[in-house]
């Protein structure tokens, strides 16, 4: 190892003369130099072959008495450039509007479906001659589901709040009309009118 280091230091001091060397041996100009022959000494057996280049600036490896000097390789950094074109805002707004339309349509459709079920149940109960008061409980359950669907549609602004209130009022009026039809419910005005003649008779 010491002989290799000695050879490398000799090569560094005589860089101008070593540029003419090749792998096969020394040239005539370098072999005729007595100072080089004197310095070479025992290191000639170790540094049997040397290769230099004028564009070389860095030593990269040693291997069993041979010295390779190579030019440092350039490191390439590949970066992907950011897209210069921005997303079209109009196209994005169109996509958002379409998504909202589909979502609102589903909410409004669910509310209408629930209302339709309630109205059909009330119509069938009204036409039934021997209907019992307990049958109105199943209808009230459907009415609760319809109210929930309407409230959800109003919450996500698929329906206006006044529209939701109007539809719930419609279901309540239909239910009350069926109860009055079968005599399960007596309005306050009718009860007051029926009680008025009795009060007049008692006063007389």
């Amino acid at each position: 190892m010491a002989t290799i280091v000695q050879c490398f230091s000799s090569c560094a001091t005589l860089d101008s003369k070593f540029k003419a060397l090749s792998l096969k041996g020394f040239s005539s100009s370098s072999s005729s130099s007595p100072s080089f022959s004197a310095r070479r000494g025992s290191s000639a057996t170790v540094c049997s072959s040397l290769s230099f280049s004028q564009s070389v600036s860095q030593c990269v490896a040693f291997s069993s008495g041979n010295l390779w000097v190579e030019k440092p390789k350039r490191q390439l950094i590949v970066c992907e450039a950011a897209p210069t074109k921005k997303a079209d805002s109009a196209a994005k707004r169109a996509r958002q509007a379409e998504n909202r339309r589909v979502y609102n349509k589903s909410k409004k459709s669910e509310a209408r479906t629930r209302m339709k079920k309630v109205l059909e149940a009330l119509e069938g109960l009204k036409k039934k001659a021997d209907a019992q008061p307990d049958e109105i409980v199943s209808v009230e359950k459907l009415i609760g589901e319809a109210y929930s669907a309407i409230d959800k549609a109003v919450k996500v602004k698929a329906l206006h709040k006044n529209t939701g209130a109007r539809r719930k009022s419609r279901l309540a009026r239909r239910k009350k009309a069926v109860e009055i039809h079968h005599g399960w419910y007596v309005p306050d005005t009718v009860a007051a009118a029926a009680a008025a003649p009795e009060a007049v008779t008692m006063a007389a």
Side-chain angles (χ1 to χ4, degrees):
M1 183 65 184
T3 56
I4 296 175
V5 174
Q6 183 181 0
C7 180
F8 179 74
S9 61
S10 302
C11 295
T13 56
L14 300 175
D15 185 34
S16 61
K17 294 184 179 181
F18 286 173
K19 291 179 180 179
L21 294 178
S22 63
L23 288 174
K24 295 182 179 180
F26 299 97
S27 63
S28 59
S29 61
S30 61
S31 60
S32 60
S33 175
S35 60
F36 177 73
S37 301
R39 286 193 177 196
R40 223 169 135 240
S42 61
S43 63
T45 58
V46 179
C47 298
S48 58
S49 61
L50 295 173
S51 176
F52 290 89
S53 175
Q54 294 182 357
S55 60
V56 174
S57 61
Q58 184 178 359
C59 174
V60 293
F62 289 96
S63 175
S64 64
N66 296 328
L67 175 65
W68 287 275
V69 181
E70 297 180 1
K71 185 178 181 180
K73 298 180 180 179
R74 296 180 60 186
Q75 299 293 331
L76 299 179
I77 300 176
V78 180
C79 12
E80 184 179 355
T84 55
K85 184 179 179 181
K86 294 184 179 180
D88 191 359
S89 58
K92 181 178 179 181
R93 289 297 180 184
R95 291 193 303 269
Q96 291 176 343
E98 180 64 18
N99 294 336
R100 286 195 297 268
R101 186 189 68 82
V102 173
Y103 182 77
N104 294 340
K105 183 179 179 181
S106 65
K107 292 297 182 182
K108 290 189 288 187
S109 176
E110 183 181 1
R112 284 196 300 267
T113 302
R114 300 290 183 181
M115 289 183 62
K116 186 177 180 180
K117 289 182 179 181
V118 172
L119 295 176
E120 288 177 354
L122 289 174
E123 189 67 22
L125 187 61
K126 185 177 182 180
K127 292 180 180 180
K128 192 175 182 180
D130 55 345
Q132 300 298 323
D134 297 339
E135 297 181 13
I136 200 68
V137 176
S138 60
V139 179
E140 288 177 350
K141 183 178 180 181
L142 294 176
I143 291 175
E145 294 176 356
Y147 281 6
S148 178
I150 292 172
D151 290 338
K152 288 180 180 179
V154 171
K155 184 177 180 180
V156 298
K157 298 182 180 181
L159 290 177
H160 194 273
K161 59 180 181 179
N162 293 351
T163 303
R166 188 172 62 251
R167 292 185 179 182
K168 290 192 290 185
S169 177
R170 182 187 303 171
L171 297 178
R173 288 198 311 269
R174 291 290 182 90
K175 173 179 173 289
K176 186 178 290 187
V178 173
E179 290 176 340
I180 292 173
H181 176 74
H182 288 291
W184 303 334
Y185 174 78
V186 178
D188 295 338
T189 56
V190 177
E198 296 178 359
V200 172
T201 304
M202 292 176 63

